[in-house]
Amino acid sequence: MAAKSFSEEDLSCTVCCDIFKDPVVLPCSHSFCRHCLQTFWETKGCRECPVCRRISTMEVPLSNLALKNLCETISQERSQAASAGSEVLCSLHGEKLKLFCLDDKMPVCLVCRDSVRHTNHRFRPLAEAALQHKDEVRAQLKPLLEKVKVYEEALQDCETTARHIKMQAEQAAKQINDEFEVLHQFLRDEEAARIDALWEEEEQKSQMMKERMENVSREMSSLSDTIRAVEEEMEAEDVTFLQNYKITMRRAKRPLQDLEECSGALIHVARHLGNLKHWVWLKMQHSIQYTPVVLNPNTAHPDLILSEDLSSLRASDQSQQLPDNPERFDYFLSALGSEGFSSGAHCWEVEVGNNAIWQLGVMAESARRKGDVKIRGGLWRLGHSNGKYTARGATQPETAVKVSQMLQKIRVTLDWDRGKVSFSDPVSNTHLHTLMHHFTERVFPYFNIVAPFRILPAKINITVGR
């Protein structure tokens, strides 16, 4: 084979160190794979030779046809040898590859071992080197396999999360439909009641007009009979007229009743239409509650079940299959409010009832939520356990809180700007404890409780201003 007079180095691209593929030649006589050269130029930002750094004036380098044909011939011979199942021979000497050069990291034949190129190089038998290097590759492959497992688990988590997202959307859509159906039914009932009131007034006013028309008709008929009788007497003979003069005169002088003014006869339209939407809205408030804080289900521990209106929670009999998203508590039976606060004053009340163990307060957004860790850092809370009430801040020691009787409700007041978290008893309106801290990040209402509890609705006050 003519190709055997060339060394492997002569047939290798200096960029990719592999046999040339579609070789091109530069004016400086150096050859490279077309793709390798183009990639090198794009990386460098100029058309220089990768070997001698000489700038090329050629935008499109010329193909090295001779080198291309030679490389294709060698590649074809290698392919044919591999497909025939024959032994792999040295491309330079045509001898069987029996050794592995540890310095050049390549299999060689016995002639290669004695050549100048491999002077003072170290060699191992091919089988021994293959076994050793397979172990090395296997060691390098281990973290890749472990990474694949991590990706597989991440993919499963994504699939679980995707299913949960779909379920969340379906449940939320159903609850939205149910809530609006309640509002629609209220409006339909209110509409029907107001229409009924309107028709009831119309019926009353119409009946009043009917009775008035009947009275006027009777009076008018009676006057008409009197007038006709008097006119008939006046047309009689003089003697007859004068004989009946007194009677006729009494008839003509009959007392006349004035018609009463019919005030309030028309429908009171303003009563039915005036500020209609406003009055319906005010009435609607009796059936609508506003909770100043609602729970975020994406933060709740899997063993907690939230109510549909997100104002209460309870412990479930068994853990729910929920995505282990970063926001969720996975050790403590805790949950956060849906809205964080980074300014202003905020207040909410919680009905804890006779629960034996609970903690309420606020938690920093950056505080850890995963694992069996002390979440005191970034937590300001009032708690009850073993019949004792204690308070603790993020950088403050635990303090005993004395109470006169068991607390059923707790009011939490946050003044972010002034750095105050206060706890009080709304039943007796008694202050319990205040924690001070200079807040620098957003905080969320915090709830840690096993037995059922609920966040109490707030009173809605409406003022009309000009």
Side-chain angles (χ1 to χ4, degrees), residues 223-240:
L223 285 176
S224 298
D225 292 342
T226 301
I227 293 171
R228 187 168 49 254
V230 170
E231 289 178 344
E232 288 178 355
E233 289 294 336
M234 291 176 64
E235 292 177 356
E237 295 291 336
D238 293 343
V239 175
T240 304

Side-chain angles (χ1 to χ4, degrees), residues 215-216 218-220 223 254-260:
N215 291 334
V216 172
R218 284 195 297 271
E219 289 295 326
M220 187 173 64
L223 285 176
R254 65 172 290 177
L256 298 177
Q257 295 181 355
D258 294 331
L259 292 175
E260 296 180 358

Side-chain angles (χ1 to χ4, degrees), residues 60-75:
V60 181
L62 299 176
S63 296
N64 193 335
L65 297 178
L67 184 58
K68 179 180 180 182
N69 294 333
L70 184 58
C71 293
E72 288 180 350
T73 301
I74 292 178
S75 298

Side-chain angles (χ1 to χ4, degrees), residues 152-171:
E152 289 176 349
E153 293 175 357
L155 184 60
Q156 292 178 356
D157 291 340
C158 290
E159 292 174 351
T160 302
T161 302
R163 290 193 296 269
H164 188 70
I165 290 172
K166 185 174 180 62
M167 181 189 69
Q168 278 185 311
E170 292 174 350
Q171 291 180 346

Side-chain angles (χ1 to χ4, degrees), residues 47-79:
R47 293 191 297 274
E48 68 176 24
C49 174
V51 176
C52 65
R53 305 303 180 184
R54 185 181 300 176
I55 301 298
S56 174
T57 58
M58 301 173 59
E59 294 186 5
V60 181
L62 299 176
S63 296
N64 193 335
L65 297 178
L67 184 58
K68 179 180 180 182
N69 294 333
L70 184 58
C71 293
E72 288 180 350
T73 301
I74 292 178
S75 298
Q76 186 176 5
E77 289 178 355
R78 287 184 176 181
S79 178

Side-chain angles (χ1 to χ4, degrees), residues 36 39 41 56 89 101 111 186 191 220 279 307 376 416-417 436:
C36 295
T39 303
W41 282 358
S56 174
L89 303 178
C101 178
V111 178
F186 171 84
E191 177 187 11
M220 187 173 64
W279 296 117
S307 61
R376 292 171 182 166
W416 194 96
D417 299 322
M436 304 296 296

